[in-house]
Amino acid sequence: MILVSGASGNVGGELLRQLRTEGTAVRALTRNAARAGLPAGTGVAEGDFSDPRSLTKAFSGADALFLMMSGNETAVLAEAARAGIRRVVFLSSMAVDTRPDSFIGRVHREAEQAIAASGLEWTFLRPGQFASNTLSWREQLAGGDVVRTPFARVGLPAIHPGDIAAVARTALTQDGHAGAAHSLTGPEAITPVEQVAAVGRAIGRELRHEEITAEQAAEQMSAHMPPEIVAASLEFLGDPTDAETQALPVVEKVTGKPARTFEEWARDNADSFR
Ligand SMILES: NC(=O)c1ccc[n+]([C@@H]2O[C@H](COP(=O)([O-])OP(=O)(O)OC[C@H]3O[C@@H](n4cnc5c(N)ncnc54)[C@H](OP(=O)(O)O)[C@@H]3O)[C@@H](O)[C@H]2O)c1
């Protein structure tokens, strides 16, 4: 049985759906089952990474774990090993490779090091920017047809969280990925201007992009993100390294299916914007 953390989120939610569709035994981990909005019929266990003892029940009977970053990996994996979990697939970040000294690169690298030291069989997924980050535009779209972002013409190969999930599913259910770190992107670089147009096509509205400054964006983001994440995200979005702008073939290599475009992600998630 596979235990999926983050099952109420973008990647874990897709992973849960894919595993259930293929008939793999799966259990979802959440801090609050009543609020998680998981599909009916899902096996659910409550637990919190910040309190490893709360995970004992959730881990019991699981062979493999899809793990989200918590900063508490050493204690969480000690508990997982005690429960008999053998394999862990960790949702890390491309920043481990491309900007190791940034806040995001450092915390994910430290998590990877703790996982590698746990003695469990591990695979790291290191995606770049998620297509689902654009869900943060929903508030603006509720108020009109204009989306305001900084860095209007900086293109990044945003990835469909369903493709990260597909790589996770492969690494969790098949052999051959132990000790691998998979860097993951979408199939092409796409700018905020192009993303706004794609969301508009998906929801049948004529949307307009307006550029704001990085300072204005930082002010908006600070309402719901810690300052070090705001600064690191804006650096990544506005001044990507060459490696961060390159589309990589890894999703297709691992899963046998090409990575999906942002246009496809927007169509798949049109209802979330309505
Ligand atoms: N967004 C990007 O562009 C990007 C790029 C590279 C890497 N990443 C990595 O991907 C992660 C975000 O993935 P996502 O978008 O799929 O997640 P998400 O939609 O933001 O959801 C976060 C999930 O984590 C779970 N969670 C949070 N704190 C927890 C805790 N203390 N104990 C147990 N579960 C906890 C939540 O579960 P409940 O609320 O149900 O408990 C929720 O399902 C980032 O944190 C980063 O590590 C993101």
mmCIF file of all heavy atoms in Angstrom, residues 1-7 9-16 19 26-27 29 49 59 62-69 76-77 85 87-92 123-125 127 130 161 164-169 171-172:
data_model
loop_
_atom_site.group_PDB
_atom_site.id
_atom_site.type_symbol
_atom_site.label_atom_id
_atom_site.label_comp_id
_atom_site.label_asym_id
_atom_site.label_seq_id
_atom_site.Cartn_x
_atom_site.Cartn_y
_atom_site.Cartn_z
ATOM 1 N N MET A 1 0.841 -1.201 0.000
ATOM 2 C CA MET A 1 0.000 0.000 0.000
ATOM 3 C C MET A 1 0.881 1.257 0.000
ATOM 4 O O MET A 1 1.920 1.280 0.634
ATOM 5 C CB MET A 1 -0.892 -0.057 1.248
ATOM 6 C CG MET A 1 -1.961 0.989 1.298
ATOM 7 S SD MET A 1 -1.469 2.382 2.274
ATOM 8 C CE MET A 1 -1.357 1.656 3.874
ATOM 9 N N ILE A 2 0.428 2.240 -0.752
ATOM 10 C CA ILE A 2 1.196 3.485 -0.868
ATOM 11 C C ILE A 2 0.502 4.581 -0.063
ATOM 12 O O ILE A 2 -0.710 4.786 -0.201
ATOM 13 C CB ILE A 2 1.325 3.897 -2.349
ATOM 14 C CG1 ILE A 2 2.158 2.849 -3.093
ATOM 15 C CG2 ILE A 2 1.947 5.284 -2.468
ATOM 16 C CD1 ILE A 2 2.240 3.071 -4.585
ATOM 17 N N LEU A 3 1.264 5.262 0.770
ATOM 18 C CA LEU A 3 0.726 6.392 1.523
ATOM 19 C C LEU A 3 1.090 7.682 0.785
ATOM 20 O O LEU A 3 2.266 7.940 0.514
ATOM 21 C CB LEU A 3 1.315 6.419 2.944
ATOM 22 C CG LEU A 3 0.762 7.548 3.808
ATOM 23 C CD1 LEU A 3 -0.715 7.346 4.110
ATOM 24 C CD2 LEU A 3 1.562 7.662 5.110
ATOM 25 N N VAL A 4 0.064 8.475 0.458
ATOM 26 C CA VAL A 4 0.277 9.710 -0.307
ATOM 27 C C VAL A 4 0.083 10.904 0.613
ATOM 28 O O VAL A 4 -1.049 11.191 1.041
ATOM 29 C CB VAL A 4 -0.707 9.795 -1.495
ATOM 30 C CG1 VAL A 4 -0.546 11.118 -2.239
ATOM 31 C CG2 VAL A 4 -0.494 8.626 -2.449
ATOM 32 N N SER A 5 1.174 11.618 0.913
ATOM 33 C CA SER A 5 1.004 12.880 1.638
ATOM 34 C C SER A 5 0.731 13.977 0.609
ATOM 35 O O SER A 5 0.918 13.787 -0.593
ATOM 36 C CB SER A 5 2.228 13.181 2.503
ATOM 37 O OG SER A 5 3.339 13.531 1.729
ATOM 38 N N GLY A 6 0.242 15.117 1.088
ATOM 39 C CA GLY A 6 -0.107 16.203 0.163
ATOM 40 C C GLY A 6 -1.298 15.854 -0.709
ATOM 41 O O GLY A 6 -1.511 16.458 -1.767
ATOM 42 N N ALA A 7 -2.097 14.858 -0.280
ATOM 43 C CA ALA A 7 -3.183 14.349 -1.141
ATOM 44 C C ALA A 7 -4.285 15.383 -1.355
ATOM 45 O O ALA A 7 -5.084 15.261 -2.283
ATOM 46 C CB ALA A 7 -3.766 13.068 -0.543
ATOM 47 N N GLY A 9 -3.473 18.404 -2.050
ATOM 48 C CA GLY A 9 -2.790 19.443 -2.809
ATOM 49 C C GLY A 9 -2.681 19.117 -4.293
ATOM 50 O O GLY A 9 -3.276 18.149 -4.774
ATOM 51 N N ASN A 10 -1.880 19.910 -5.007
ATOM 52 C CA ASN A 10 -1.812 19.811 -6.473
ATOM 53 C C ASN A 10 -1.217 18.484 -6.941
ATOM 54 O O ASN A 10 -1.831 17.768 -7.730
ATOM 55 C CB ASN A 10 -0.961 20.968 -7.022
ATOM 56 C CG ASN A 10 -1.592 22.315 -6.755
ATOM 57 O OD1 ASN A 10 -2.736 22.559 -7.134
ATOM 58 N ND2 ASN A 10 -0.866 23.189 -6.073
ATOM 59 N N VAL A 11 -0.018 18.151 -6.460
ATOM 60 C CA VAL A 11 0.657 16.949 -6.962
ATOM 61 C C VAL A 11 0.086 15.701 -6.296
ATOM 62 O O VAL A 11 -0.282 14.730 -6.967
ATOM 63 C CB VAL A 11 2.185 17.042 -6.726
ATOM 64 C CG1 VAL A 11 2.869 15.776 -7.234
ATOM 65 C CG2 VAL A 11 2.765 18.269 -7.428
ATOM 66 N N GLY A 12 -0.028 15.729 -4.956
ATOM 67 C CA GLY A 12 -0.550 14.561 -4.238
ATOM 68 C C GLY A 12 -1.970 14.218 -4.670
ATOM 69 O O GLY A 12 -2.333 13.038 -4.747
ATOM 70 N N GLY A 13 -2.767 15.240 -4.964
ATOM 71 C CA GLY A 13 -4.149 15.003 -5.410
ATOM 72 C C GLY A 13 -4.171 14.260 -6.736
ATOM 73 O O GLY A 13 -4.938 13.303 -6.933
ATOM 74 N N GLU A 14 -3.310 14.680 -7.661
ATOM 75 C CA GLU A 14 -3.215 13.994 -8.967
ATOM 76 C C GLU A 14 -2.692 12.570 -8.778
ATOM 77 O O GLU A 14 -3.164 11.629 -9.425
ATOM 78 C CB GLU A 14 -2.252 14.760 -9.891
ATOM 79 C CG GLU A 14 -2.743 16.143 -10.308
ATOM 80 C CD GLU A 14 -3.519 16.116 -11.618
ATOM 81 O OE1 GLU A 14 -3.794 15.022 -12.134
ATOM 82 O OE2 GLU A 14 -3.853 17.214 -12.108
ATOM 83 N N LEU A 15 -1.710 12.428 -7.876
ATOM 84 C CA LEU A 15 -1.121 11.094 -7.649
ATOM 85 C C LEU A 15 -2.168 10.136 -7.080
ATOM 86 O O LEU A 15 -2.287 8.989 -7.518
ATOM 87 C CB LEU A 15 0.075 11.231 -6.693
ATOM 88 C CG LEU A 15 0.762 9.932 -6.285
ATOM 89 C CD1 LEU A 15 1.312 9.179 -7.502
ATOM 90 C CD2 LEU A 15 1.897 10.219 -5.298
ATOM 91 N N LEU A 16 -2.929 10.628 -6.128
ATOM 92 C CA LEU A 16 -3.983 9.806 -5.521
ATOM 93 C C LEU A 16 -4.956 9.328 -6.602
ATOM 94 O O LEU A 16 -5.309 8.151 -6.681
ATOM 95 C CB LEU A 16 -4.727 10.652 -4.479
ATOM 96 C CG LEU A 16 -5.799 9.955 -3.670
ATOM 97 C CD1 LEU A 16 -5.151 8.972 -2.688
ATOM 98 C CD2 LEU A 16 -6.619 10.989 -2.881
ATOM 99 N N LEU A 19 -3.253 6.672 -8.937
ATOM 100 C CA LEU A 19 -3.061 5.361 -8.299
ATOM 101 C C LEU A 19 -4.389 4.638 -8.143
ATOM 102 O O LEU A 19 -4.500 3.430 -8.351
ATOM 103 C CB LEU A 19 -2.369 5.529 -6.942
ATOM 104 C CG LEU A 19 -0.889 5.937 -6.995
ATOM 105 C CD1 LEU A 19 -0.389 6.355 -5.614
ATOM 106 C CD2 LEU A 19 -0.027 4.796 -7.544
ATOM 107 N N VAL A 26 -3.977 2.388 -1.906
ATOM 108 C CA VAL A 26 -3.461 3.701 -1.562
ATOM 109 C C VAL A 26 -4.194 4.254 -0.355
ATOM 110 O O VAL A 26 -5.354 3.921 -0.119
ATOM 111 C CB VAL A 26 -3.599 4.629 -2.804
ATOM 112 C CG1 VAL A 26 -5.021 4.894 -3.179
ATOM 113 C CG2 VAL A 26 -2.864 5.932 -2.609
ATOM 114 N N ARG A 27 -3.472 5.072 0.441
ATOM 115 C CA ARG A 27 -4.096 5.775 1.572
ATOM 116 C C ARG A 27 -3.631 7.230 1.510
ATOM 117 O O ARG A 27 -2.468 7.500 1.198
ATOM 118 C CB ARG A 27 -3.633 5.128 2.877
ATOM 119 C CG ARG A 27 -4.242 5.725 4.135
ATOM 120 C CD ARG A 27 -3.580 5.126 5.382
ATOM 121 N NE ARG A 27 -3.900 3.722 5.582
ATOM 122 C CZ ARG A 27 -3.084 2.873 6.254
ATOM 123 N NH1 ARG A 27 -1.929 3.271 6.739
ATOM 124 N NH2 ARG A 27 -3.453 1.624 6.418
ATOM 125 N N LEU A 29 -2.841 10.881 3.285
ATOM 126 C CA LEU A 29 -2.505 11.493 4.570
ATOM 127 C C LEU A 29 -2.917 12.960 4.539
ATOM 128 O O LEU A 29 -2.627 13.677 3.574
ATOM 129 C CB LEU A 29 -0.993 11.414 4.816
ATOM 130 C CG LEU A 29 -0.505 12.125 6.079
ATOM 131 C CD1 LEU A 29 -0.895 11.319 7.323
ATOM 132 C CD2 LEU A 29 1.015 12.317 6.048
ATOM 133 N N PHE A 49 3.293 16.099 9.870
ATOM 134 C CA PHE A 49 4.744 15.883 9.860
ATOM 135 C C PHE A 49 5.444 16.597 11.018
ATOM 136 O O PHE A 49 6.536 16.213 11.395
ATOM 137 C CB PHE A 49 5.342 16.350 8.531
ATOM 138 C CG PHE A 49 4.985 15.471 7.366
ATOM 139 C CD1 PHE A 49 4.660 16.017 6.136
ATOM 140 C CD2 PHE A 49 4.979 14.089 7.499
ATOM 141 C CE1 PHE A 49 4.345 15.205 5.056
ATOM 142 C CE2 PHE A 49 4.662 13.266 6.431
ATOM 143 C CZ PHE A 49 4.340 13.827 5.211
ATOM 144 N N PHE A 59 1.105 5.416 8.875
ATOM 145 C CA PHE A 59 2.207 4.669 8.266
ATOM 146 C C PHE A 59 1.992 3.150 8.341
ATOM 147 O O PHE A 59 2.573 2.414 7.545
ATOM 148 C CB PHE A 59 3.521 5.005 8.981
ATOM 149 C CG PHE A 59 4.119 6.347 8.598
ATOM 150 C CD1 PHE A 59 5.244 6.845 9.257
ATOM 151 C CD2 PHE A 59 3.572 7.117 7.585
ATOM 152 C CE1 PHE A 59 5.805 8.063 8.914
ATOM 153 C CE2 PHE A 59 4.124 8.348 7.230
ATOM 154 C CZ PHE A 59 5.244 8.817 7.898
ATOM 155 N N ALA A 62 1.873 0.482 5.331
ATOM 156 C CA ALA A 62 2.321 1.059 4.051
ATOM 157 C C ALA A 62 3.712 0.525 3.692
ATOM 158 O O ALA A 62 4.545 0.295 4.563
ATOM 159 C CB ALA A 62 2.366 2.583 4.157
ATOM 160 N N ASP A 63 3.957 0.307 2.377
ATOM 161 C CA ASP A 63 5.295 -0.103 1.907
ATOM 162 C C ASP A 63 6.056 1.084 1.353
ATOM 163 O O ASP A 63 7.273 1.093 1.306
ATOM 164 C CB ASP A 63 5.203 -1.107 0.738
ATOM 165 C CG ASP A 63 4.076 -2.075 0.897
ATOM 166 O OD1 ASP A 63 4.195 -2.895 1.807
ATOM 167 O OD2 ASP A 63 3.082 -1.976 0.142
ATOM 168 N N ALA A 64 5.316 2.078 0.845
ATOM 169 C CA ALA A 64 5.967 3.186 0.152
ATOM 170 C C ALA A 64 5.252 4.485 0.506
ATOM 171 O O ALA A 64 4.062 4.490 0.841
ATOM 172 C CB ALA A 64 5.917 2.959 -1.355
ATOM 173 N N LEU A 65 6.012 5.584 0.419
ATOM 174 C CA LEU A 65 5.510 6.896 0.861
ATOM 175 C C LEU A 65 5.832 7.961 -0.173
ATOM 176 O O LEU A 65 6.981 8.073 -0.622
ATOM 177 C CB LEU A 65 6.205 7.242 2.189
ATOM 178 C CG LEU A 65 6.074 8.656 2.736
ATOM 179 C CD1 LEU A 65 4.627 8.966 3.123
ATOM 180 C CD2 LEU A 65 6.989 8.845 3.957
ATOM 181 N N PHE A 66 4.809 8.747 -0.549
ATOM 182 C CA PHE A 66 5.049 9.963 -1.335
ATOM 183 C C PHE A 66 5.121 11.101 -0.333
ATOM 184 O O PHE A 66 4.163 11.374 0.392
ATOM 185 C CB PHE A 66 3.913 10.209 -2.337
ATOM 186 C CG PHE A 66 4.099 11.503 -3.086
ATOM 187 C CD1 PHE A 66 5.132 11.645 -4.001
ATOM 188 C CD2 PHE A 66 3.259 12.590 -2.864
ATOM 189 C CE1 PHE A 66 5.330 12.847 -4.687
ATOM 190 C CE2 PHE A 66 3.445 13.785 -3.540
ATOM 191 C CZ PHE A 66 4.471 13.908 -4.452
ATOM 192 N N LEU A 67 6.273 11.765 -0.288
ATOM 193 C CA LEU A 67 6.583 12.678 0.811
ATOM 194 C C LEU A 67 6.698 14.126 0.353
ATOM 195 O O LEU A 67 7.433 14.438 -0.580
ATOM 196 C CB LEU A 67 7.918 12.236 1.444
ATOM 197 C CG LEU A 67 8.409 13.011 2.645
ATOM 198 C CD1 LEU A 67 7.475 12.814 3.846
ATOM 199 C CD2 LEU A 67 9.829 12.568 3.016
ATOM 200 N N MET A 68 5.977 14.999 1.068
ATOM 201 C CA MET A 68 6.104 16.451 0.865
ATOM 202 C C MET A 68 7.150 16.993 1.831
ATOM 203 O O MET A 68 7.358 16.448 2.909
ATOM 204 C CB MET A 68 4.777 17.141 1.204
ATOM 205 C CG MET A 68 3.562 16.642 0.482
ATOM 206 S SD MET A 68 3.528 17.169 -1.222
ATOM 207 C CE MET A 68 3.386 18.946 -1.022
ATOM 208 N N MET A 69 7.751 18.126 1.476
ATOM 209 C CA MET A 69 8.749 18.801 2.323
ATOM 210 C C MET A 69 8.124 19.259 3.634
ATOM 211 O O MET A 69 7.027 19.813 3.621
ATOM 212 C CB MET A 69 9.111 20.066 1.579
ATOM 213 C CG MET A 69 10.436 20.435 1.329
ATOM 214 S SD MET A 69 11.666 20.842 2.467
ATOM 215 C CE MET A 69 11.055 22.172 3.366
ATOM 216 N N VAL A 76 10.492 12.110 10.740
ATOM 217 C CA VAL A 76 9.384 11.499 9.975
ATOM 218 C C VAL A 76 9.837 10.158 9.389
ATOM 219 O O VAL A 76 9.120 9.155 9.455
ATOM 220 C CB VAL A 76 8.898 12.458 8.857
ATOM 221 C CG1 VAL A 76 7.985 11.737 7.866
ATOM 222 C CG2 VAL A 76 8.190 13.666 9.460
ATOM 223 N N LEU A 77 11.058 10.124 8.854
ATOM 224 C CA LEU A 77 11.514 8.879 8.216
ATOM 225 C C LEU A 77 11.927 7.824 9.232
ATOM 226 O O LEU A 77 11.830 6.623 8.950
ATOM 227 C CB LEU A 77 12.618 9.178 7.210
ATOM 228 C CG LEU A 77 12.098 9.930 5.975
ATOM 229 C CD1 LEU A 77 13.125 9.927 4.864
ATOM 230 C CD2 LEU A 77 10.790 9.352 5.446
ATOM 231 N N ILE A 85 7.963 0.949 6.242
ATOM 232 C CA ILE A 85 7.999 1.558 4.901
ATOM 233 C C ILE A 85 9.407 1.391 4.343
ATOM 234 O O ILE A 85 10.394 1.602 5.048
ATOM 235 C CB ILE A 85 7.584 3.051 4.991
ATOM 236 C CG1 ILE A 85 6.089 3.145 5.312
ATOM 237 C CG2 ILE A 85 7.931 3.800 3.699
ATOM 238 C CD1 ILE A 85 5.567 4.552 5.524
ATOM 239 N N ARG A 87 10.236 2.393 0.807
ATOM 240 C CA ARG A 87 10.550 3.246 -0.344
ATOM 241 C C ARG A 87 9.925 4.625 -0.142
ATOM 242 O O ARG A 87 8.751 4.711 0.251
ATOM 243 C CB ARG A 87 9.977 2.568 -1.586
ATOM 244 C CG ARG A 87 10.139 3.325 -2.858
ATOM 245 C CD ARG A 87 9.613 2.498 -4.043
ATOM 246 N NE ARG A 87 10.499 1.413 -4.420
ATOM 247 C CZ ARG A 87 10.292 0.607 -5.469
ATOM 248 N NH1 ARG A 87 9.220 0.770 -6.239
ATOM 249 N NH2 ARG A 87 11.138 -0.357 -5.757
ATOM 250 N N VAL A 88 10.690 5.683 -0.441
ATOM 251 C CA VAL A 88 10.127 7.033 -0.333
ATOM 252 C C VAL A 88 10.439 7.819 -1.601
ATOM 253 O O VAL A 88 11.564 7.784 -2.115
ATOM 254 C CB VAL A 88 10.634 7.750 0.946
ATOM 255 C CG1 VAL A 88 12.135 7.768 1.028
ATOM 256 C CG2 VAL A 88 10.112 9.170 1.049
ATOM 257 N N VAL A 89 9.405 8.455 -2.129
ATOM 258 C CA VAL A 89 9.572 9.366 -3.273
ATOM 259 C C VAL A 89 9.271 10.763 -2.757
ATOM 260 O O VAL A 89 8.178 11.028 -2.247
ATOM 261 C CB VAL A 89 8.636 8.977 -4.437
ATOM 262 C CG1 VAL A 89 8.696 10.023 -5.544
ATOM 263 C CG2 VAL A 89 9.036 7.610 -4.984
ATOM 264 N N PHE A 90 10.270 11.638 -2.862
ATOM 265 C CA PHE A 90 10.203 12.957 -2.213
ATOM 266 C C PHE A 90 9.996 14.053 -3.250
ATOM 267 O O PHE A 90 10.736 14.132 -4.237
ATOM 268 C CB PHE A 90 11.512 13.196 -1.446
ATOM 269 C CG PHE A 90 11.631 14.575 -0.873
ATOM 270 C CD1 PHE A 90 10.672 15.079 -0.008
ATOM 271 C CD2 PHE A 90 12.722 15.380 -1.194
ATOM 272 C CE1 PHE A 90 10.784 16.371 0.523
ATOM 273 C CE2 PHE A 90 12.843 16.655 -0.666
ATOM 274 C CZ PHE A 90 11.872 17.150 0.196
ATOM 275 N N LEU A 91 9.009 14.923 -3.010
ATOM 276 C CA LEU A 91 8.768 16.077 -3.877
ATOM 277 C C LEU A 91 9.724 17.194 -3.461
ATOM 278 O O LEU A 91 9.487 17.897 -2.478
ATOM 279 C CB LEU A 91 7.312 16.539 -3.763
ATOM 280 C CG LEU A 91 6.935 17.750 -4.613
ATOM 281 C CD1 LEU A 91 7.237 17.510 -6.087
ATOM 282 C CD2 LEU A 91 5.464 18.105 -4.429
ATOM 283 N N SER A 92 10.816 17.327 -4.212
ATOM 284 C CA SER A 92 11.856 18.305 -3.911
ATOM 285 C C SER A 92 11.705 19.501 -4.844
ATOM 286 O O SER A 92 10.564 19.859 -5.214
ATOM 287 C CB SER A 92 13.224 17.628 -4.046
ATOM 288 O OG SER A 92 14.251 18.492 -3.649
ATOM 289 N N THR A 123 13.840 8.232 -3.997
ATOM 290 C CA THR A 123 13.890 8.896 -5.307
ATOM 291 C C THR A 123 13.498 10.347 -5.073
ATOM 292 O O THR A 123 12.531 10.615 -4.346
ATOM 293 C CB THR A 123 12.880 8.263 -6.293
ATOM 294 O OG1 THR A 123 13.112 6.861 -6.348
ATOM 295 C CG2 THR A 123 13.021 8.867 -7.688
ATOM 296 N N PHE A 124 14.243 11.274 -5.671
ATOM 297 C CA PHE A 124 13.914 12.690 -5.526
ATOM 298 C C PHE A 124 13.308 13.212 -6.833
ATOM 299 O O PHE A 124 13.842 12.957 -7.913
ATOM 300 C CB PHE A 124 15.176 13.512 -5.209
ATOM 301 C CG PHE A 124 15.872 13.108 -3.932
ATOM 302 C CD1 PHE A 124 17.253 13.232 -3.814
ATOM 303 C CD2 PHE A 124 15.150 12.620 -2.845
ATOM 304 C CE1 PHE A 124 17.896 12.863 -2.635
ATOM 305 C CE2 PHE A 124 15.782 12.251 -1.661
ATOM 306 C CZ PHE A 124 17.169 12.369 -1.562
ATOM 307 N N LEU A 125 12.218 13.954 -6.716
ATOM 308 C CA LEU A 125 11.637 14.644 -7.876
ATOM 309 C C LEU A 125 11.967 16.118 -7.724
ATOM 310 O O LEU A 125 11.639 16.727 -6.697
ATOM 311 C CB LEU A 125 10.118 14.446 -7.923
ATOM 312 C CG LEU A 125 9.632 12.996 -7.795
ATOM 313 C CD1 LEU A 125 8.121 12.928 -7.992
ATOM 314 C CD2 LEU A 125 10.346 12.086 -8.786
ATOM 315 N N PRO A 127 11.130 19.278 -9.567
ATOM 316 C CA PRO A 127 10.463 20.055 -10.608
ATOM 317 C C PRO A 127 10.831 21.533 -10.546
ATOM 318 O O PRO A 127 11.221 22.056 -9.497
ATOM 319 C CB PRO A 127 8.976 19.868 -10.275
ATOM 320 C CG PRO A 127 8.953 19.602 -8.805
ATOM 321 C CD PRO A 127 10.259 18.940 -8.451
ATOM 322 N N PHE A 130 5.509 25.179 -11.188
ATOM 323 C CA PHE A 130 4.266 24.433 -11.455
ATOM 324 C C PHE A 130 3.291 25.293 -12.268
ATOM 325 O O PHE A 130 3.109 26.489 -11.975
ATOM 326 C CB PHE A 130 3.532 24.088 -10.155
ATOM 327 C CG PHE A 130 4.186 23.096 -9.248
ATOM 328 C CD1 PHE A 130 5.461 22.598 -9.501
ATOM 329 C CD2 PHE A 130 3.520 22.656 -8.110
ATOM 330 C CE1 PHE A 130 6.062 21.681 -8.645
ATOM 331 C CE2 PHE A 130 4.109 21.749 -7.244
ATOM 332 C CZ PHE A 130 5.379 21.264 -7.520
ATOM 333 N N PRO A 161 1.178 19.535 -12.783
ATOM 334 C CA PRO A 161 1.368 18.697 -11.603
ATOM 335 C C PRO A 161 1.008 17.231 -11.845
ATOM 336 O O PRO A 161 1.570 16.334 -11.215
ATOM 337 C CB PRO A 161 0.436 19.329 -10.556
ATOM 338 C CG PRO A 161 0.381 20.761 -10.962
ATOM 339 C CD PRO A 161 0.401 20.748 -12.475
ATOM 340 N N ILE A 164 4.165 15.505 -12.796
ATOM 341 C CA ILE A 164 5.029 15.202 -11.634
ATOM 342 C C ILE A 164 4.463 13.947 -10.953
ATOM 343 O O ILE A 164 5.192 13.032 -10.572
ATOM 344 C CB ILE A 164 5.051 16.379 -10.630
ATOM 345 C CG1 ILE A 164 5.466 17.677 -11.325
ATOM 346 C CG2 ILE A 164 5.982 16.056 -9.455
ATOM 347 C CD1 ILE A 164 5.325 18.923 -10.448
ATOM 348 N N ALA A 165 3.135 13.917 -10.833
ATOM 349 C CA ALA A 165 2.476 12.760 -10.203
ATOM 350 C C ALA A 165 2.733 11.482 -10.997
ATOM 351 O O ALA A 165 2.934 10.413 -10.413
ATOM 352 C CB ALA A 165 0.977 13.026 -10.082
ATOM 353 N N ALA A 166 2.744 11.585 -12.310
ATOM 354 C CA ALA A 166 2.969 10.388 -13.134
ATOM 355 C C ALA A 166 4.385 9.848 -12.924
ATOM 356 O O ALA A 166 4.598 8.627 -12.885
ATOM 357 C CB ALA A 166 2.725 10.707 -14.608
ATOM 358 N N VAL A 167 5.352 10.754 -12.770
ATOM 359 C CA VAL A 167 6.728 10.318 -12.487
ATOM 360 C C VAL A 167 6.770 9.692 -11.091
ATOM 361 O O VAL A 167 7.383 8.644 -10.879
ATOM 362 C CB VAL A 167 7.718 11.496 -12.609
ATOM 363 C CG1 VAL A 167 9.115 11.074 -12.159
ATOM 364 C CG2 VAL A 167 7.760 12.015 -14.042
ATOM 365 N N ALA A 168 6.078 10.321 -10.142
ATOM 366 C CA ALA A 168 6.034 9.780 -8.772
ATOM 367 C C ALA A 168 5.419 8.379 -8.772
ATOM 368 O O ALA A 168 5.927 7.456 -8.135
ATOM 369 C CB ALA A 168 5.226 10.709 -7.864
ATOM 370 N N ARG A 169 4.319 8.234 -9.512
ATOM 371 C CA ARG A 169 3.625 6.926 -9.576
ATOM 372 C C ARG A 169 4.576 5.853 -10.108
ATOM 373 O O ARG A 169 4.658 4.752 -9.562
ATOM 374 C CB ARG A 169 2.393 7.058 -10.478
ATOM 375 C CG ARG A 169 1.629 5.774 -10.706
ATOM 376 C CD ARG A 169 0.280 6.057 -11.337
ATOM 377 N NE ARG A 169 0.345 6.971 -12.469
ATOM 378 C CZ ARG A 169 0.498 6.607 -13.744
ATOM 379 N NH1 ARG A 169 0.612 5.334 -14.061
ATOM 380 N NH2 ARG A 169 0.542 7.502 -14.710
ATOM 381 N N ALA A 171 7.895 5.865 -10.041
ATOM 382 C CA ALA A 171 8.989 5.595 -9.089
ATOM 383 C C ALA A 171 8.482 4.838 -7.863
ATOM 384 O O ALA A 171 9.229 4.080 -7.247
ATOM 385 C CB ALA A 171 9.647 6.906 -8.677
ATOM 386 N N LEU A 172 7.204 5.041 -7.512
ATOM 387 C CA LEU A 172 6.643 4.348 -6.344
ATOM 388 C C LEU A 172 6.293 2.896 -6.657
ATOM 389 O O LEU A 172 6.392 2.027 -5.790
ATOM 390 C CB LEU A 172 5.376 5.076 -5.862
ATOM 391 C CG LEU A 172 5.609 6.381 -5.097
ATOM 392 C CD1 LEU A 172 4.343 7.243 -5.082
ATOM 393 C CD2 LEU A 172 6.080 6.114 -3.669
#
